[in-house]
Amino acid sequence: MRWFEALVPAYTIERLFWESRTITMQEVVYLEMLYAVLVVILEVPTGVLADRLERRRLLQIGTALEWGSFVVLLVSFSFGGFALAIALSGIGAALRSGAENALLYETLEQDGKTEAFERWVGRLNVIGIVAAVLAAISGALLATRFLNYVLSTVSLFIATACSLGLVEPRRVVTEERMTWADIGAGFRFVWHDHQLLALSSVFIVTIGAFNFIDEFWQLYARDVEVPIYWFGMISTVLLLIQIPGQLLAPVLLHITTVDRWLHGIGWGIGLGFVILGFFPGQVGLVWMAGMAFLIGIVEPLYLGALHHRVPSVIRATTESSVSMLLHGGIILFGLVFAVGAGVTLFAAFLFIGITVCVHQAIVTVIARKEDAS
């Protein structure tokens, strides 16, 4: 299922396809805003829904909506049609958020194998990365807009069909399921667990910041005069280099604690952005690769720390709450990036790096004060 969800060659020529269907750049911005707003609004309610109902049902519906969005794109030639497709995709993403990892954890819990959670998260992410790389390469080779979208639609249909085979594990706890009045339960749980709050803060900041490497590395490469024919290789490296980090995450826990790893990686990401801003050049792409390696470690470690602590009754709700905060963090980083981009792209990276480092310093000081007390 994860393989076919990520095997979407349409993303390779997404902007070209949209342009061929009369969607302007301004309309692209509006559509991206629509997607972000839907995800932020629906993240927590759908997490609550996942905890009230079967998690596999939300995964099935969410995957089906993503497939439906591509069906709509294939037949759309107007802004209204594309808005409908993006709305379906945003709702589908919100439905899947939190439910998948909750289903995975409780499946392992049922078999008494929760210690393998980080390993399985890493493996699933690796499957998605490899599929995304294959989709990017095949999408570039096909270079046919209509065919790319047809193949993507077929792949997502297969993912939807695979989701029908998911099995809901037996709930380990027998507590009464939450009501809609408890929609803030996930936020409260994270807030009252100070160690988890600090880890969540680091997770949100590091992942949110790295999002701007994903979005703008091409402009950086262009500005440091990297030939465009290297872009495909750079994209592939930035994806593949995350695989070792995904697989190493459970091994790293045998060396030291999750909070030390995440705090260290936070500093690494922050300083990486500072170096990109202060010393722009082609060697900066090597720094980006190093940052991508570090970011591959973050998700399995954090999700393990979260799911090992959170009770089953609010498992999906809590992860959805963190995901909502992550999207909010990306919006705030976007404002920081926009201020820097008013000067240069390098200044934008520098501003993000300074923001991350200041955050890490604050978190470190607070942690030391709590240890002292």
Side-chain angles (χ1 to χ4, degrees):
M1 178 178 161
R2 179 68 72 89
W3 174 269
F4 288 107
E5 281 183 322
L7 194 64
V8 184
Y11 292 145
T12 307
I13 46 88
E14 183 176 30
R15 292 293 172 259
L16 296 176
F17 178 82
W18 287 30
E19 186 179 67
S20 73
R21 297 295 178 95
T22 73
I23 303 300
T24 66
M25 283 302 299
Q26 187 178 30
E27 288 174 331
V28 170
V29 174
Y30 293 151
L31 291 170
E32 290 181 344
M33 290 173 62
L34 172 64
Y35 181 90
V37 168
L38 282 172
V39 170
V40 169
I41 291 174
L42 296 175
E43 277 279 12
V44 178
T46 55
V48 174
L49 194 62
D51 284 324
R52 288 170 61 91
L53 306 175
E54 290 186 336
R55 276 101 189 230
R56 66 187 179 112
R57 295 301 182 200
L58 269 73
L59 285 173
Q60 290 162 352
I61 297 171
T63 307
L65 287 175
E66 184 67 21
W67 165 62
S69 74
F70 272 77
V71 173
V72 173
L73 285 175
L74 272 174
V75 299
S76 295
F77 290 85
S78 67
F79 178 80
F82 273 70
L84 174 59
I86 292 303
L88 291 174
S89 179
I91 296 170
L95 286 169
R96 297 194 303 275
S97 176
E100 182 179 19
N101 287 319
L103 183 66
L104 171 63
Y105 189 90
E106 290 179 357
T107 299
L108 294 171
E109 189 174 42
Q110 181 175 267
D111 297 333
K113 298 178 180 178
T114 55
E115 74 283 352
F117 177 73
E118 293 88 349
R119 185 179 305 114
W120 277 105
V121 168
R123 288 175 178 176
L124 287 174
N125 288 341
V126 167
I127 290 171
I129 290 170
V130 173
V133 170
L134 181 59
I137 294 172
S138 62
L141 292 176
L142 291 169
T144 304
R145 299 172 189 180
F146 184 76
L147 181 58
N148 276 14
Y149 271 76
V150 170
L151 292 176
S152 299
T153 304
V154 171
S155 181
L156 289 169
F157 174 78
I158 296 173
T160 303
C162 291
S163 71
L164 299 178
L166 293 173
V167 177
E168 188 78 11
R170 172 179 52 83
R171 294 290 176 92
V172 175
V173 297
T174 57
E175 302 170 69
E176 184 179 351
R177 292 184 182 179
M178 66 185 300
T179 65
W180 288 105
D182 293 326
I183 199 168
F187 296 111
R188 291 195 296 272
F189 181 83
V190 173
W191 179 260
H192 291 302
D193 187 327
H194 292 171
Q195 185 182 29
L196 183 59
L197 178 62
L199 293 178
S200 299
S201 178
V202 174
F203 171 77
I204 290 166
V205 167
T206 52
I207 297 293
F210 189 79
N211 176 72
F212 291 85
I213 295 291
D214 279 337
E215 294 290 337
F216 295 102
W217 70 262
Q218 294 176 351
L219 297 183
Y220 183 95
R222 180 202 63 190
D223 289 350
V224 298
E225 300 179 344
V226 173
I228 196 168
Y229 55 79
W230 282 105
F231 280 29
M233 179 62 72
I234 294 169
S235 177
T236 301
V237 169
L238 288 177
L239 283 171
L240 291 181
I241 202 167
Q242 295 181 43
I243 291 178
Q246 298 281 353
L247 298 177
L248 278 174
V251 178
L252 297 177
L253 292 176
H254 296 298
I255 300 174
T256 189
T257 59
V258 62
D259 52 333
R260 289 189 177 182
W261 281 117
L262 290 183
H263 285 305
I265 290 171
W267 279 109
I269 297 298
L271 293 174
F273 271 107
V274 170
I275 291 171
L276 291 175
F278 265 132
F279 307 104
Q282 294 184 3
V283 71
L285 296 169
V286 178
W287 285 109
M288 286 185 184
M291 294 162 71
F293 170 78
L294 291 177
I295 217 70
I297 302 173
V298 172
E299 186 177 6
L301 287 183
Y302 172 75
L303 289 177
L306 176 68
H307 284 273
H308 289 316
R309 287 175 167 83
V310 68
S312 176
V313 70
I314 57 169
R315 189 177 302 284
T317 302
T318 305
E319 185 177 331
S320 292
S321 300
V322 174
S323 181
M324 177 182 173
L325 293 174
L326 172 59
H327 283 90
I330 290 173
I331 293 172
L332 294 177
F333 270 122
L335 297 176
V336 174
F337 188 89
V339 172
V343 183
T344 65
L345 175 66
F346 307 127
F349 279 156
L350 176 60
F351 285 9
I352 285 185
I354 292 172
T355 303
V356 175
C357 288
V358 168
H359 167 268
Q360 289 302 116
I362 293 172
V363 171
T364 300
V365 169
I366 293 175
R368 287 181 178 175
K369 285 184 177 180
E370 288 184 351
D371 290 341
S373 61

